[in-house]
Amino acid sequence: MCTSLLKRMGITHVLNAAHGKEKNCGLVNTWSGFYTESGIQFLGVPAFDNIVFRIHPYFEEAATFIDEALKSGGKVLVHCQAGISRSATLVCAFLMLKRGFTAQEAVKSVRKNRAIIPNDGFLRQLCDLNDKLNRKQIVDDI
């Protein structure tokens, strides 16, 4: 939440994977206007860290946000409340959608850099994405 620190770190884009106002629900209250003065681009995903939350509808938008930021030479901070489930899941989805990783490769790659524990529901949704991408690859190969 310290925009001056983010700027010193070279952050150009922030993806808040816990976007919302209810702190007692594990949400983090930032929004695009919070970063306007600093010139940081923002995307908020209003995800709850529970096994029934449908995070998969946000996979493509989050992956595109990260990908476009990186392609423009930017540096992206992807965060949630604890940084181990919601944000990790969206980073894994980015690796799968934009870098061709399998779900297992994506989780393993992120775990090389930090401890993550996506909840079981999020892992299931990453597996479903993996299956969908595999089916698409098979069709594309035919």
Side-chain angles (χ1 to χ4, degrees):
M1 297 202 47
C2 181
T3 56
S4 60
L5 174 61
L6 294 175
K7 290 303 283 183
R8 284 195 304 273
M9 294 173 63
I11 301 297
T12 59
H13 294 72
V14 170
L15 193 169
N16 177 353
H19 180 64
K21 295 181 180 179
E22 298 295 326
K23 288 183 182 179
N24 60 341
C25 293
L27 300 177
V28 179
N29 188 17
T30 58
W31 62 99
S32 59
F34 184 83
Y35 298 100
T36 302
E37 265 188 48
S38 63
I40 294 172
Q41 299 295 310
F42 175 81
L43 176 65
V45 173
F48 292 97
D49 187 10
N50 64 54
I51 62 170
V52 297
F53 184 82
R54 293 169 32 98
I55 198 168
H56 71 88
Y58 300 99
F59 285 170
E60 189 65 46
E61 181 182 17
T64 298
F65 180 79
I66 295 168
D67 193 46
E68 289 176 357
L70 297 175
K71 283 181 178 175
S72 70
K75 190 174 183 181
V76 186
L77 170 66
V78 182
H79 76 87
C80 52
Q81 186 180 37
I84 60 172
S85 187
R86 292 170 279 191
S87 58
T89 299
L90 292 178
V91 169
C92 288
F94 156 74
L95 291 171
M96 295 168 67
L97 289 164
K98 302 298 182 178
R99 299 297 188 263
F101 285 45
T102 65
Q104 296 85 351
E105 291 167 340
V107 170
K108 187 182 285 190
S109 179
V110 175
R111 281 191 174 141
K112 283 182 187 175
N113 295 293
R114 67 173 294 119
I116 63 166
I117 312 168
N119 74 49
D120 289 344
F122 292 172
L123 286 173
R124 175 78 263 156
Q125 291 172 71
L126 287 172
C127 289
D128 291 345
L129 175 61
N130 192 76
D131 292 345
K132 176 183 169 189
L133 293 172
N134 280 339
R135 283 191 304 274
K136 182 184 181 309
Q137 182 62 44
I138 291 169
V139 170
D140 289 348
D141 287 345
I142 295 176

